[in-house]
Amino acid sequence: MCSSDLALSTGKIVGVEALVRWQQQDGRLVPPNDFIPLAEETGLIVPIGSWVLREACRVRKIWLQQGLTDLVMAVNLSARQFVEEDLPSLLESLLTEYDLPAHLLVLEVTESLFMNNLNKVIGDLSSMKAQGVAVAIDDFGTGYSSMAYLQQLPIDYLKIDRSFVMDLDVNERDKALVKTMIQLAQNLSLKVVAEGIEKAEQAEYLLSLGCHKGQGYYFGKPMTAAKLLEVLAKPNNTPNSF
């Protein structure tokens, strides 16, 4: 499964985020909030994370062969992967195995990652970024926000958490916070992605502030790779427009 990133200025899909889902024998999907914490606790998130990264590289290579040259693929990394894996080596081997241009990948991490082993995390992210991938801070604003680590980290994107976006069209405090986040990103020469956009008014306000990209049900629900290709085949290359 994947969710799409849209350029707010054009409404076109410019990227996707790989999503992991657990499908039961009866076909029902277990929500990620129900199994990801358990996977983190038991350590299963490490092999799961490695599998997702490999699948993302494999699928993105197929899309490249089908002519999708510019679409970036975002993949979430767990804090435990940084502790228990050599992520730079894993990434290098996968890029080589699939002969995939590194600039087509965005690696997403959360702020909680930086509360421990900051030097190792910075080292690993720097090594991976040196290979050509981009790095994003996911769910920005909900964790350990510090100007110190923002200054040190080799990052390219800030992804504003949906909790700041869901009431953006009616809550003045959220408006002020989002405006500050976007200004901060602009001052640091970072691109901005807003999560959880569900209304046209939210998308329009974010665009007026200079937000680059957006995700959310307003543009469409998560879809399979096959469905995404159908959407991309449309002349305007967008599931929705505002």
Side-chain angles (χ1 to χ4, degrees), residues 20-34:
V20 61
R21 294 291 185 265
W22 178 6
Q23 188 172 25
Q24 300 182 99
Q25 291 184 344
D26 62 4
R28 290 185 299 174
L29 295 177
V30 179
N33 289 343
D34 289 347

Side-chain angles (χ1 to χ4, degrees), residues 73 91 95 99-106 128-134:
M73 171 83 82
L91 175 66
L95 292 176
D99 190 24
L100 182 68
H103 72 272
L104 295 177
L105 286 183
V106 179
M128 291 188 286
K129 186 171 170 61
Q131 296 180 44
V133 301

Side-chain angles (χ1 to χ4, degrees), residues 209-231:
L209 295 177
C211 183
H212 302 90
K213 298 194 294 184
Q215 294 179 337
Y217 281 7
Y218 174 64
F219 305 114
K221 294 183 178 181
M223 63 189 84
T224 63
K227 179 62 177 179
L228 175 68
L229 291 178
E230 291 180 13
V231 173

Side-chain angles (χ1 to χ4, degrees), residues 13 15-16 19 36 60 68 72 83 87 108 110 120 129 132 140 146 149 176 183 189-190 196 209 220 223 226 230:
I13 297 175
V16 296
L19 302 176
I36 292 296
R60 188 59 191 88
L68 297 178
V72 297
V83 174
L87 282 173
E108 297 190 356
T110 60
K120 182 182 187 303
K129 186 171 170 61
F140 183 70
S146 167
Y149 83 67
Q183 289 176 337
S189 300
L190 303 175
L209 295 177
M223 63 189 84
E230 291 180 13

Side-chain angles (χ1 to χ4, degrees), residues 135-152:
V135 178
I137 295 183
D138 196 16
D139 302 332
F140 183 70
T142 62
Y144 178 66
S145 299
S146 167
M147 297 301 103
Y149 83 67
L150 282 179
Q151 186 180 30
Q152 297 176 58

Side-chain angles (χ1 to χ4, degrees), residues 40-177:
E40 290 274 6
E41 182 180 341
T42 61
L44 285 174
I45 195 66
V46 176
I48 290 174
S50 297
W51 178 82
V52 171
L53 182 57
R54 172 177 290 276
E55 277 295 289
C57 291
R58 184 186 67 83
V59 171
R60 188 59 191 88
K61 178 62 177 182
I62 292 173
W63 291 351
L64 183 62
Q65 293 169 334
Q66 293 175 338
L68 297 178
T69 58
D70 299 324
L71 196 72
V72 297
M73 171 83 82
V75 183
N76 289 279
L77 297 177
S78 162
R80 290 195 68 155
Q81 288 179 268
F82 283 85
V83 174
E84 301 181 25
E85 276 193 308
D86 184 349
L87 282 173
S89 295
L90 174 62
L91 175 66
E92 183 178 14
S93 67
L94 291 175
L95 292 176
T96 301
E97 178 180 350
Y98 291 104
D99 190 24
L100 182 68
H103 72 272
L104 295 177
L105 286 183
V106 179
L107 303 179
E108 297 190 356
V109 297
T110 60
E111 294 169 281
S112 61
L113 177 65
F114 311 117
M115 298 185 67
N116 298 298
N117 300 316
L118 181 60
N119 290 334
K120 182 182 187 303
V121 170
I122 291 176
D124 283 354
L125 288 177
S126 297
S127 295
M128 291 188 286
K129 186 171 170 61
Q131 296 180 44
V133 301
V135 178
I137 295 183
D138 196 16
D139 302 332
F140 183 70
T142 62
Y144 178 66
S145 299
S146 167
M147 297 301 103
Y149 83 67
L150 282 179
Q151 186 180 30
Q152 297 176 58
L153 289 176
I155 56 178
D156 305 276
Y157 292 91
L158 290 184
K159 296 189 68 174
I160 299 174
D161 186 72
R162 67 182 310 277
S163 61
F164 300 101
V165 176
M166 58 190 302
D167 295 323
L168 189 60
D169 53 320
V170 295
N171 189 307
E172 293 300 322
R173 178 170 291 185
D174 284 347
K175 283 185 177 180
L177 287 171

